[in-house]
Amino acid sequence: MKFSFKAFKRTAGRILRPVKKLLSAVGIAVLCVIMVVVITGTIVASAATVFVVNLMDDTSEVTLDNISSSYTTYIYAKQGNDWLIYDMISNEGEKRIWCSLEQIPQYVRDAVIYSEDERFNSHDGVDFFGIAVAFSELVTGEGRRGASTITQQTIKNITGDDDVDGIAGYERKLREIYRAVQLEKEYSKDDILEAYLNLVPLDQNIYGIQAAANYYFNKDVSQLTIGEAAAIAAIIKSPYNNNPMRYPENNYERRKYILDKMLENGAISSEEYDEAVNQELNLIGSMMYTLTDEDTKIDASYLSAYDNFDTASSYYVDAVIYQATEIFMDYYGLSWDEAYQKLRRGGYRIYTCVDLDIQKQLEEKYLDLYTFSEDGSEDIPQSACICMDYNGRILGVVGGIGEKDSPLCLNRATMSTRQPGSSIKPLSAYSLAVDRDLVTWSTQFLDVPLLIKSGESYLEWPRNYSTSGSYSSSWSKEYNFTYSCLQRSLNTNAAQLVEMLTPSECFEFLYYRLKLDSLVLYKNGRTDIDRSPMSVGALTDGVTLEDIVSCYQMFGNGGKHYESTFISRILDSSGEVVFQHSLLGEQVIDESTAYVMNRMLETVVSSSRGTGRLARLDGVELIAKTGTTQDWCDLWFIGCTPEYVTGLWIGHDIPVEIDTDSCYGSPTMWKNVFGDILEAGEVKTFTASNFVVEREFCMETGLIAGSNCQDTSVGYYKKTNIPPTCSGEHLKTEIDTMLEGLGRRDVAVIVTEGIDIADYEAVTGHKYTYINELIRSYR
C-alpha cells in the first residue's frame, strides 16, 4: 500500500480531534482553577492585609516609661540602725518593689534569660527559630515549649492582653508580635529586661524579682545566691505549680533545668553549679523584709499588717496613709481620691517616725480594759492616746480602746475634734501673758468671776470645776498666785488673763503661731474669738488630741513649735524626695517664757493641790495639764517628760456626760498607759534656761522676798521681768479691806467695760472691783 502523507494527516486529525477537545477542556478547567485560586488568594491576601493593617492601627503603642507607677508603696519603721517594712500599700493586695537593672546581679538576670528566652540578646523581639522548634516539637509530639520571648512576655504583662483561644488568641498573638518588634526598635535590651524583671508574676500576688526575693527569702535581690535566683526564675514558667513553698519538687526540677542551661552557656562555673543545685533553700514566705545583718532577728509582733493591705493595719499606719495622701494632694495638685490612688500604685517609700517599742506597748495597753477601770469593765467611755518627741515626730498612737478590726477606721487621736477644756489654758492665756511680761510666777489674782452684761441682766462668769466633777456655786474670793491658779486650773483666773490679753490676741496666737487651724474665725454665727473659747476651751468645733499635744512641745524644747508628723520623708520610685519633715521649728514664745511655764506645769503634778498629782512618776520629771469640758463630756491629760510629749483623751463618741465612777480619772488612766514607757526614759530632768532665775518670793504680796518676809516660797522668773522686792510691811490694801467686809452671800466681781456699776450694786447688793485691779501690783 502506497503511503500518503495527506492521508496520514487526515487520519491523525480524526484521531486527535477528540484528544484536542479533551485537552482544551482540561486546559480551560485548569486555567479556571488557577484563576479562581489566584483571585481567591488575592482576595484572602487583601482581606488579611486589611485585617492586619486594621489590627495594627487599633494596637496601641506599648511604652516602658511609666510602668514603675503601679508598684507597691512600702512603709518603713526604724529599729536600731535597720529599716523594717512596717506595712505596705498596694493595688488589690499586689506586692511590687521596683528595682533598677544595676541592682540585679548578672547571675539573677542570666537565670531568668536562660529559663525564658535563651536567644534574648540576639533576636529582634520575636524568636522565629524558637517558634519553628516549638512547632516541630508539637507536630512530632516530642514536647511543647513556649515560644514567647521576654519582650513578648513584657508586653503581655504591661497590657494584660492575654487571650489564648480562638480568633481572639490569634489576634492577640499578632498584636504581640507587632508590638514586640516595635518595642525593640524603641528601647534597649537592658530597658526591656529591667521592665520584665520588675513585672513578672511570681505567685502569692508577688510581682517582680525584688518582691520575690523579699517574700521567699527575706533578702534584697542583691543578696540572693545562684540557687535562690534559679528557684525564683523557676516559678515563672508556672507560678502556681512551681512555687517552691507549695510544690518544692516541681521547683527543683525546673531549677535544675535552669542551672543546666546556665552551666551550658558559661554563665556559671561547675563549682557554682554544684553548690547551687545542692543548696537547701531557706524559705520564709513573708514580706517582713529588712536590710539587716544575717544575725539580726526580726520580731514580727512589731509589724501591723503582714501579707495584705486589707488586714487591720495599726492606727499608726492608718495615720501615715492619711498624711501621705494629704501631702500628695498638695505636692501633685490632686483630689483626695486621686492622691490616694497614686499612693497605692506609685511605688513610694515612706519612712515613718514610729518607735516600734512604744507603739507596741500602747497597743497592748489599749487592749487591756484594766488600764481604764479598776474592775476591767467594758462599760467605759472611749479613749485615745498619742506620744511624740520635741521635734514633732509622732512615736506612737492608738485611736480607740479594744481590737482594731478594719483599716482606715476612726482614729480618735487624729480625727475627732473635741472641746479641750482647761488643757487650752497654758496655750491661750498663761504662756502668752508670761511672754508679754503681763504676769510673773507670783502675780496675785482674785478668785472672782467676770461680770458680763447679758441683755437686761448680768452674768457672773465663769464658774470653777471641782475635782469631783461638781461646779463651785460661789468663788473663794481669795488671792492666788499665777502658778497656783494654773495648778488648780481655776477658770476665773484664766478668764481674767484672756480679758487682759483680749480674746483676739489669744486667738491669733493659737491659730497662726501654734497652727490650730480647727479654730473657727466665723461659722453659722459663732466664732472662737471670744472669752469662753479662749478661757475655758469652749470652742466651736474643738481640736484633735494630736494638735493640742503638738502645741505642748514648746514647754519642753525652749519655746519652739514643730508641726506634728507621722512621716519623716517620702521617696518616689526613682528615689526623688517628695516630702521631708523639717527640723527647723518656729520660735513661738521666748525660751525664758517656755521654762517659766515648764516650772508652773510641774506644780500641777508635784503639788498636793495640783489637778495632775495622781500621775506622778518615779525618778523622772513630769509637767502636765488636765482638761475637763462643760458637763464632763471630755477629760484630757497632757503630760511631758524630758524626752516625750504625750496626751490622752477620754469621752464618748457622741458627747454625753462621763460617769466618772465607771473609769479612772484622766491622771490615773494616763499613768497606766504611759507610766512604764516614760519612767524608762534615759533623760530624767528638763534642762534649765540660762535666762530664768530662781528667787524666793513673799507669800503675802507675791513680790521678791525681803528681809522681813517670814512666809516665803521659791519661784521662777524671767531675767527681764523680776518683781520688786517686798518692803516687809505687808499693809492691807483697799481691796483687802473690801474683801474682809463681804458677807457670805456676796460675790466680788470684775466689772468689765460697759457695765453700769451703780445699777449692778443696786440690783445685787454685791461689791465690785475694776479690771485694772485684777492684779495686785505694788509697782
Side-chain angles (χ1 to χ4, degrees), residues 443-639:
T443 299
Q444 289 185 308
F445 291 87
L446 281 170
D447 177 17
V448 292
L450 301 179
L451 178 67
I452 303 170
K453 189 167 186 179
S454 178
E456 297 300 319
S457 62
Y458 296 93
L459 173 66
E460 295 170 343
W461 178 89
R463 294 181 292 178
N464 289 318
Y465 284 91
S466 71
T467 56
S468 64
S470 62
Y471 290 118
S472 299
S473 58
S474 60
W475 297 267
S476 69
K477 297 174 291 184
E478 298 173 348
Y479 281 116
N480 290 278
F481 302 111
T482 307
Y483 78 91
S484 59
C485 293
L486 181 60
Q487 75 178 214
R488 296 173 58 197
S489 199
L490 297 176
N491 290 339
T492 50
N493 304 122
Q496 292 166 15
L497 286 173
V498 170
E499 195 72 16
M500 293 164 56
L501 291 160
T502 73
S504 60
E505 185 175 359
C506 299
F507 178 91
E508 288 176 3
F509 178 67
L510 295 180
Y511 191 85
Y512 294 107
R513 303 301 299 278
L514 296 184
K515 315 300 182 187
L516 287 177
D517 53 12
S518 62
L519 270 58
V520 171
L521 286 163
Y522 182 83
K523 184 171 80 173
N524 299 327
R526 297 190 62 184
T527 179
D528 288 333
I529 309 175
D530 207 345
R531 294 185 179 96
S532 183
M534 295 297 100
S535 302
V536 295
L539 303 175
T540 303
D541 291 337
V543 294
T544 65
L545 178 62
E546 176 190 352
D547 286 344
I548 200 161
V549 170
S550 71
C551 293
Y552 272 73
Q553 295 173 79
M554 63 182 181
F555 300 132
N557 67 7
K560 292 184 178 181
H561 180 264
Y562 295 83
E563 291 201 34
S564 59
T565 183
F566 294 89
I567 300 172
S568 174
R569 62 176 175 153
I570 301 177
L571 305 181
D572 65 17
S573 58
S574 64
E576 294 295 319
V577 177
V578 172
F579 169 80
Q580 179 76 51
H581 174 59
S582 174
L583 294 178
L584 298 176
E586 180 184 357
Q587 194 76 38
V588 290
I589 56 175
D590 190 76
E591 178 193 327
S592 57
T593 298
Y595 191 65
V596 170
M597 287 298 304
N598 179 289
R599 296 296 83 194
M600 286 188 187
L601 291 167
E602 191 274 336
T603 70
V604 172
V605 178
S606 62
S607 170
S608 61
R609 302 183 72 182
T611 57
R613 59 190 178 276
L614 296 179
R616 292 174 192 164
L617 300 175
D618 293 332
V620 59
E621 277 194 316
L622 172 65
I623 66 173
K625 185 69 187 76
T626 57
T628 308
T629 60
Q630 188 174 6
D631 298 326
W632 287 76
C633 292
D634 300 272
L635 301 178
W636 302 74
F637 192 94
I638 316 299

Side-chain angles (χ1 to χ4, degrees), residues 75 77 86-88 301-306 308-322 352 354-356 358-360 362-364 395-400 402-411 414-415 566:
I75 299 173
Y86 187 30
D87 214 317
M88 62 192 75
S301 62
Y302 284 118
L303 309 179
S304 58
Y306 308 113
N308 196 311
F309 172 64
D310 294 328
T311 58
S313 52
S314 74
Y315 282 107
Y316 199 101
V317 169
D318 286 0
V320 168
I321 292 170
Y322 280 114
T352 70
V354 67
D355 183 306
L356 291 173
I358 289 176
Q359 180 66 25
K360 182 182 179 182
L362 295 182
E363 289 172 354
E364 290 173 348
L395 308 176
V397 64
V398 176
E403 194 76 36
K404 183 177 183 290
D405 56 8
S406 63
L408 302 182
C409 62
L410 174 65
N411 185 335
T414 62
M415 298 177 177
F566 294 89

Side-chain angles (χ1 to χ4, degrees), residues 122 128 140 355 399 630:
S122 59
F128 292 104
T140 61
D355 183 306
Q630 188 174 6

Side-chain angles (χ1 to χ4, degrees), residues 133-357:
V133 172
F135 180 75
S136 67
E137 288 182 353
L138 178 63
V139 171
T140 61
E142 293 179 2
R144 183 171 183 173
R145 71 168 68 185
S148 291
T149 64
I150 282 177
T151 309
Q152 290 172 272
Q153 291 183 52
T154 301
I155 289 167
K156 183 170 65 175
N157 291 333
I158 292 174
T159 63
D161 193 358
D162 58 357
D163 290 317
V164 175
D165 300 324
I167 297 298
Y170 289 113
E171 289 181 355
R172 190 268 301 173
K173 201 66 178 178
L174 286 172
R175 284 193 299 270
E176 194 176 275
I177 290 172
Y178 172 77
R179 285 167 164 168
V181 173
Q182 295 302 312
L183 195 69
E184 292 261 359
K185 292 179 180 178
E186 296 293 327
Y187 296 94
S188 69
K189 290 288 186 180
D190 281 354
D191 291 335
I192 295 168
L193 183 60
E194 179 180 77
Y196 179 74
L197 293 174
N198 281 285
L199 289 170
V200 61
L202 293 161
D203 204 27
Q204 303 292 145
N205 251 352
I206 302 292
Y207 293 84
I209 297 295
Q210 180 68 280
N214 292 179
Y215 180 80
Y216 289 108
F217 299 108
N218 192 28
K219 290 184 176 182
D220 182 80
V221 66
S222 64
Q223 298 173 316
L224 291 174
T225 65
I226 295 173
E228 291 165 345
I232 291 174
I235 301 172
I236 299 174
K237 182 176 176 62
S238 180
Y240 183 86
N241 293 315
N242 287 351
N243 184 326
M245 304 188 70
R246 188 179 287 115
Y247 298 110
E249 299 84 1
N250 293 354
N251 183 272
Y252 178 78
E253 182 180 346
R254 181 67 178 171
R255 183 163 82 245
K256 186 175 184 306
Y257 166 81
I258 294 169
L259 292 169
D260 288 342
K261 282 289 185 181
M262 293 176 72
L263 178 63
E264 177 185 325
N265 286 275
I268 56 176
S269 66
S270 57
E271 291 80 7
E272 290 172 325
Y273 172 85
D274 291 338
E275 182 179 352
V277 81
N278 293 309
Q279 181 183 357
E280 184 175 342
L281 300 181
N282 180 25
L283 296 164
I284 304 299
S286 171
M287 291 303 294
M288 298 181 301
Y289 163 73
T290 181
L291 277 173
T292 66
D293 297 331
E294 290 186 3
D295 294 334
T296 301
K297 301 297 182 183
I298 301 170
D299 184 353
S301 62
Y302 284 118
L303 309 179
S304 58
Y306 308 113
D307 294 316
N308 196 311
F309 172 64
D310 294 328
T311 58
S313 52
S314 74
Y315 282 107
Y316 199 101
V317 169
D318 286 0
V320 168
I321 292 170
Y322 280 114
Q323 184 184 350
T325 301
E326 291 173 0
I327 289 170
F328 286 5
M329 289 173 66
D330 181 62
Y331 187 82
Y332 295 110
L334 303 175
S335 67
W336 201 96
D337 287 340
E338 291 169 336
Y340 178 58
Q341 289 306 315
K342 193 171 187 68
L343 175 66
R344 286 182 64 130
R345 301 175 63 88
Y348 293 91
R349 284 173 284 166
I350 301 176
Y351 296 88
T352 70
C353 305
V354 67
D355 183 306
L356 291 173
D357 292 316

Side-chain angles (χ1 to χ4, degrees), residues 621-732:
E621 277 194 316
L622 172 65
I623 66 173
K625 185 69 187 76
T626 57
T628 308
T629 60
Q630 188 174 6
D631 298 326
W632 287 76
C633 292
D634 300 272
L635 301 178
W636 302 74
F637 192 94
I638 316 299
C640 310
T641 63
E643 284 188 87
Y644 304 114
V645 192
T646 68
L648 177 142
W649 165 85
I650 311 163
H652 297 280
D653 289 332
I654 299 175
V656 294
E657 184 175 347
I658 297 170
D659 179 7
T660 53
D661 292 331
S662 70
C663 62
Y664 292 124
S666 61
T668 301
M669 195 181 296
W670 177 91
K671 186 174 183 179
N672 289 345
V673 172
F674 289 107
D676 294 341
I677 297 171
L678 303 183
E679 286 176 348
E682 295 180 2
V683 184
K684 303 300 183 181
T685 58
F686 288 97
T687 302
S689 170
N690 293 327
F691 304 99
V692 173
V693 295
E694 293 183 39
R695 294 286 188 272
E696 285 194 1
F697 66 92
C698 176
M699 293 293 287
E700 291 284 335
T701 63
L703 302 179
I704 299 302
S707 57
N708 294 325
C709 298
Q710 301 300 314
D711 188 6
T712 64
S713 186
V714 175
Y716 295 82
Y717 301 91
K718 296 165 63 175
K719 287 183 177 180
T720 57
N721 189 26
I722 300 175
T725 300
C726 181
S727 65
E729 296 181 3
H730 304 148
L731 300 175
K732 291 183 180 179

